């Protein structure tokens, strides 16, 4: 039994597909399949049920994968302890970040990280919250910047900032002249939303739950459309397709000719952005250095948190 084999079964359990797991592990599918078959033969148990469309875990397989995840994490901990004995800031830090934060925080964060800790390059992974949580648990990431809430996974969490939301409307829209907009007023508008899987979509639906129904004849609602990214949706808003809700840091610092960002009336909806890492991660100084680099960013319009 090897760590490589354990990583393979964890990857298959996560992806529920041998091809995707092989791609995630940067090996060919035959290599991964042979290694898993060898492990099953060694343990004399069946870890996976191979279906036509999806791979599932056997009851014993679930217990084995849980144990494998723990072993992988402990093995990573040994490397971290060894690294910490030299220089905890020396060597890459694997940082995950969700799609609706990455484009707006990373450009400045990376510049500060290079200036403050050049010996600690950031290996970046942009993904959905659920995927980042999986990668944290399996040791593929050291830490991640995400927005609460997310499932309690026993991670250590440090709050970074509270970020208010604004309404993005076309420049010629009647709401563009308003100083504030209430969530109630958005019921009468065509709402543009991020696609399923984005946690920010859920945040918007908390502000405007009526749009979850996706019905053109629902009282007070015209229709809603989906987009793949906040930037794509903002372009759609600028072209007059509808309105949307955006986080503060996504608002351009220069005025936009076809787009206006209007604050919400009180109570202003917001999200809490946090840094999360495994409690067993031993490079405490690396986490502190990353937080310092984040706090060195301008972060206009957000409420910084230092607790």
């Amino acid at each position: 039994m090897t760590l490589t084999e354990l990583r393979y079964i964890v990857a298959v359990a996560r992806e529920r597909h041998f091809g995707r797991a092989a791609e995630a592990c940067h090996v060919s599918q035959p290599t991964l399949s042979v290694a898993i078959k060898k492990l099953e033969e060694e343990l004399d148990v069946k870890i996976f049920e191979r279906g036509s469309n999806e791979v599932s875990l056997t009851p014993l397989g679930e217990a084995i994968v849980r144990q494998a995840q723990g072993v992988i994490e402990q093995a990573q901990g040994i490397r971290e302890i060894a690294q910490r004995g030299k220089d905890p800031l020396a060597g890459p830090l694997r940082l995950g970040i969700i799609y609706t934060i990455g484009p707006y925080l990373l450009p400045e964060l990376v510049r500060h990280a290079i200036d403050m800790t050049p010996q600690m390059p950031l290996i970046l992974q942009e993904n959905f919250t659920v995927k980042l949580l999986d990668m944290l648990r399996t040791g593929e990431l050291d830490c991640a910047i995400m927005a609460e809430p997310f499932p309690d996974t026993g991670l250590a969490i440090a709050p970074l900032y509270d970020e208010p939301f604004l309404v993005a409307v076309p420049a010629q829209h009647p709401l563009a002249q308003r100083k504030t907009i209430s969530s109630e007023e958005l019921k009468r508008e065509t709402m543009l939303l991020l696609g399923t899987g984005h946690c920010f979509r859920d945040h918007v639906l908390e502000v405007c739950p009526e749009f979850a129904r996706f019905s053109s004849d629902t009282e007070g609602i015209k229709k809603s459309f989906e987009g793949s990214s906040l930037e794509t949706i903002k372009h759609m808003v600028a072209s007059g397709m509808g309105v949307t809700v955006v986080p503060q840091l996504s608002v351009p610092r220069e005025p936009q000719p076809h787009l206006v960002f209007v604050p919400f009336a009180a109570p202003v909806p917001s999200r809490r952005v946090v840094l999360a890492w495994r409690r067993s991660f031993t490079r405490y100084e690396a986490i502190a250095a990353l937080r310092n680099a984040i706090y060195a960013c301008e972060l206009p319009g957000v409420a910084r948190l230092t607790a």
Side-chain angles (χ1 to χ4, degrees), residues 21-62:
E23 185 177 343
C25 294
H26 307 292
V27 297
S28 67
Q29 184 172 336
T31 297
L32 180 136
S33 298
V34 168
I36 291 177
K37 181 170 172 46
K38 174 177 171 292
L39 180 60
E40 287 181 321
E41 290 174 351
E42 178 183 343
L43 298 176
D44 195 23
V45 297
K46 196 172 186 180
I47 300 173
F48 298 106
E49 294 284 358
R50 283 84 162 166
S52 55
N53 296 321
E54 189 178 84
V55 177
S56 61
L57 284 162
T58 65
L60 264 178
E62 289 183 3

Side-chain angles (χ1 to χ4, degrees), residues 5 17 47 51 55 103 106 166 199 204 214 219 245 249 260 286 305:
E5 291 168 349
H17 190 275
I47 300 173
V55 177
L106 285 179
L166 295 92
C199 62
V204 173
F214 263 63
E219 183 181 354
V245 175
L249 292 185
V260 174
L305 303 168

Side-chain angles (χ1 to χ4, degrees), residues 52-300:
S52 55
N53 296 321
E54 189 178 84
V55 177
S56 61
L57 284 162
T58 65
L60 264 178
E62 289 183 3
I64 289 170
V65 167
R66 278 197 303 271
Q67 188 69 23
Q69 289 171 336
V71 171
I72 292 168
E73 185 174 327
Q74 289 171 356
Q76 182 61 33
I78 292 172
R79 295 189 182 92
E80 290 163 2
I81 290 169
Q83 185 65 51
R84 193 179 180 205
K86 302 171 186 175
D87 177 359
L89 298 181
L93 184 71
R94 298 168 299 172
L95 171 64
I97 192 164
I98 59 174
Y99 291 114
T100 57
I101 296 177
Y104 315 111
L105 179 62
L106 285 179
E108 195 175 355
L109 171 57
V110 169
R111 286 198 301 272
H112 286 301
I114 292 170
D115 290 341
M116 298 165 72
T117 52
Q119 74 275 39
M120 189 181 77
L122 298 178
I123 299 176
L124 302 170
Q125 167 71 239
E126 202 175 24
N127 221 310
F128 296 113
T129 299
V130 64
K131 178 73 171 178
L132 296 180
L133 289 171
D134 276 341
M135 296 180 76
L136 280 172
R137 187 175 64 250
T138 59
E140 295 171 74
L141 288 176
D142 299 321
C143 53
I145 298 172
M146 300 178 288
E148 291 184 328
F150 47 81
D152 181 10
T153 54
L155 296 169
I157 293 173
L160 297 174
Y161 54 84
D162 285 337
E163 183 177 21
F165 300 159
L166 295 92
V167 183
V169 300
Q172 304 306 316
H173 195 287
L175 291 176
Q177 307 304 316
R178 298 284 297 279
K179 291 186 176 179
T180 61
I181 298 173
S182 70
S183 58
E184 188 70 19
E185 291 174 286
L186 295 182
K187 291 181 181 180
R188 297 186 290 274
E189 302 300 326
T190 299
M191 177 67 78
L192 309 182
L193 297 169
L194 284 171
T196 304
H198 290 276
C199 62
F200 189 71
R201 170 195 174 91
D202 300 327
H203 294 153
V204 173
L205 291 177
E206 285 178 15
V207 177
C208 311
E210 296 82 3
F211 287 100
R213 302 176 193 173
F214 263 63
S215 172
S216 59
D217 58 0
T218 300
E219 183 181 354
I221 301 172
K222 290 174 67 176
K223 199 173 181 183
S224 55
F225 297 92
E226 293 189 1
S228 57
S229 74
L230 282 177
E231 293 309 303
T232 298
I233 288 177
K234 284 192 281 188
H235 289 310
M236 292 169 67
V237 171
S239 69
M241 286 289 294
V243 305
T244 195
V245 175
V246 299
Q248 174 70 54
L249 292 185
S250 75
V251 176
R253 301 190 185 184
E254 297 297 326
Q256 303 295 295
H258 305 295
L259 199 57
V260 174
F261 299 90
V262 185
F264 271 96
V268 178
S270 65
R271 65 178 178 181
R272 174 156 294 185
V273 175
V274 303
L275 178 64
W277 65 95
R278 295 185 310 282
R279 294 186 184 278
S280 60
F281 186 60
T282 59
R283 293 175 64 192
Y284 313 119
E285 295 85 351
I287 296 295
L290 178 62
R291 290 183 72 189
N292 289 338
I294 294 169
Y295 288 132
C297 298
E298 280 193 44
L299 305 179

